[in-house]
Amino acid sequence: MFAIHDKVMYGQTGVCEITEICQKKFGRQTAAYYVLHPLYGEDTTIYCPVDSAPASMRALLDKREVRSLLREMPQLPAQWIENDAKRHTAQAQVLHTGDHRALMQMIKSLHIRRRERTAEGKRFHQADERALKEAEALLYREFAQVLGVEPEEIPAMLGA
């Protein structure tokens, strides 16, 4: 169970703070809800049922885990899927699961591909650019929150 003021990852919204735990009536049911506020970007309130929280919320990594992942980044192989539809499906799956290594690998692969396309004088696909921005936001904001730095400092730590 989480507590008020805990920082959590909530789905694809990213890092949120639990500001309240309350009873709410939605429809005919009254249930306990976590009241979440995203720490980056959105100025919104999210109500997450306490009973279903394990499926949509998780605790942030700790500093040791983040530092370990940062050290792994250079060794992660870049992987590129040529077929646009298959690549975008794979990217959506990575964003949905929030797997840290898969996010790092996706970010690395997209950065490499963008550099290649730029060197060839070609444009980088807009869907790939959106996926890159979403992946970076999820990963960098969590890492920044854990390490006590700004998200803009994380790319240098990753060597991205």
Side-chain angles (χ1 to χ4, degrees), residues 145-160:
Q145 186 65 40
V146 171
L147 297 175
V149 299
E150 293 299 317
E152 297 78 23
E153 297 176 55
I154 299 300
M157 295 177 182
L158 286 168

Side-chain angles (χ1 to χ4, degrees), residues 19 35-38 43-47:
T19 57
V35 180
L36 309 173
H37 290 279
D43 184 23
T44 188
T45 301
I46 300 165
Y47 293 91

Side-chain angles (χ1 to χ4, degrees), residues 2-67:
F2 296 105
I4 294 173
H5 301 299
D6 282 354
K7 309 289 190 301
V8 297
M9 285 297 288
Y10 179 73
Q12 287 181 257
T13 302
V15 181
C16 295
E17 180 177 4
I18 298 172
T19 57
E20 185 180 351
I21 301 171
C22 65
Q23 296 289 320
K24 278 283 197 191
K25 184 174 183 176
F26 287 112
R28 295 180 183 189
Q29 299 284 2
T30 299
Y33 285 83
Y34 292 114
V35 180
L36 309 173
H37 290 279
L39 294 184
Y40 300 96
E42 298 178 46
D43 184 23
T44 188
T45 301
I46 300 165
Y47 293 91
C48 178
V50 170
D51 292 343
S52 66
S56 54
M57 279 175 35
R58 66 168 176 77
L60 298 180
L61 297 175
D62 63 33
K63 284 184 181 182
R64 182 187 53 75
E65 292 169 314
V66 170
R67 288 188 181 117

